[in-house]
Amino acid sequence: FGDCFFSLLLSGIAIYVSIRTAELPYRKKLNVKSNKTYQITDLGKKSLHGYHVTVTSIGGRPVVLTMVGLCFSGSKKVHITKDSIPSPGKDFLCKLEQGDVISKEFDLKTIVMQIGKHHFSDWTTVYGFAEDSEAKRYKVRIGKVRYIRKLRFDEVPMETITE
């Protein structure tokens, strides 16, 4: 009985691995990254301007994006999308082939206004996200609201900035 069970288990694992390997070229996959954007002031200091979200298609299948923006933990309905990306739905469709990249920038003033408008707590997490035509969200963590409020419109000397 033990040898039969072991053989069945190995056969099942081999079948699973071969199916997953065969599907790899046909899977859609996105890489979402977010970074801070800065402006150099007249005094030679860096001033935090906002965040940008970069989406790269790394799967073997084209992906149609319907939204790229920022969202908040605990709220699926509240998100920030740039003016060039209309509200969700068929207004914005961006097809990314393998290796294609799209990047959107969001200024700090807009982010802080949305945080205040919706009364998010300091412990709410902000994410950069992309949503595809099948309503699947790909997210990357940016930080807590308290951190973004602290950075708001402050001018930070260049030597204190680490990324």
Side-chain angles (χ1 to χ4, degrees):
F1 177 74
D3 290 338
C4 182
F5 176 74
F6 185 68
S7 295
L8 284 173
L9 180 65
L10 283 179
S11 296
I13 291 172
I15 291 170
Y16 175 77
V17 168
S18 66
I19 289 172
R20 296 294 288 180
T21 304
E23 288 178 345
L24 282 177
Y26 304 105
R27 296 181 78 191
K28 62 179 182 170
K29 190 172 180 183
L30 292 177
N31 184 11
V32 181
K33 292 185 177 182
S34 178
N35 288 310
K36 298 173 190 164
T37 57
Y38 295 97
Q39 289 181 330
I40 304 295
T41 65
D42 294 337
L43 302 174
K45 295 182 178 182
K46 278 187 179 180
S47 175
L48 182 64
H49 180 258
Y51 291 89
H52 69 88
V53 178
T54 303
V55 182
T56 308
S57 176
I58 57 174
R61 201 172 116 197
V63 179
V64 177
L65 296 180
T66 56
M67 280 194 289
V68 175
L70 302 176
C71 62
F72 303 92
S73 62
S75 176
K76 289 196 176 222
K77 293 183 179 179
V78 178
H79 52 266
I80 303 170
T81 56
K82 194 163 175 87
D83 294 338
S84 63
I85 301 177
S87 56
K90 297 179 182 176
D91 296 338
F92 170 75
L93 294 177
C94 175
K95 186 175 183 180
L96 295 181
E97 300 288 340
Q98 185 177 12
D100 287 350
V101 178
I102 186 171
S103 185
K104 299 295 174 190
E105 187 174 323
F106 305 92
D107 67 5
L108 193 58
K109 184 177 180 181
T110 304
I111 298 168
V112 171
M113 283 176 27
Q114 286 292 323
I115 288 169
K117 178 180 175 183
H118 296 285
H119 307 291
F120 288 116
S121 76
D122 284 348
W123 300 104
T124 302
T125 305
V126 181
Y127 295 94
F129 80 98
E131 187 173 288
D132 66 14
S133 58
E134 297 171 359
K136 181 174 180 184
R137 278 198 177 182
Y138 304 83
K139 298 191 301 187
V140 63
R141 184 180 183 278
I142 291 176
K144 298 285 185 188
V145 165
R146 66 187 159 113
Y147 176 71
I148 293 172
R149 281 186 180 141
K150 185 176 85 171
L151 290 176
R152 179 177 59 189
F153 312 117
D154 291 340
E155 291 184 351
V156 183
M158 290 176 106
E159 53 273 356
T160 63
I161 306 245
T162 57
E163 305 227 25

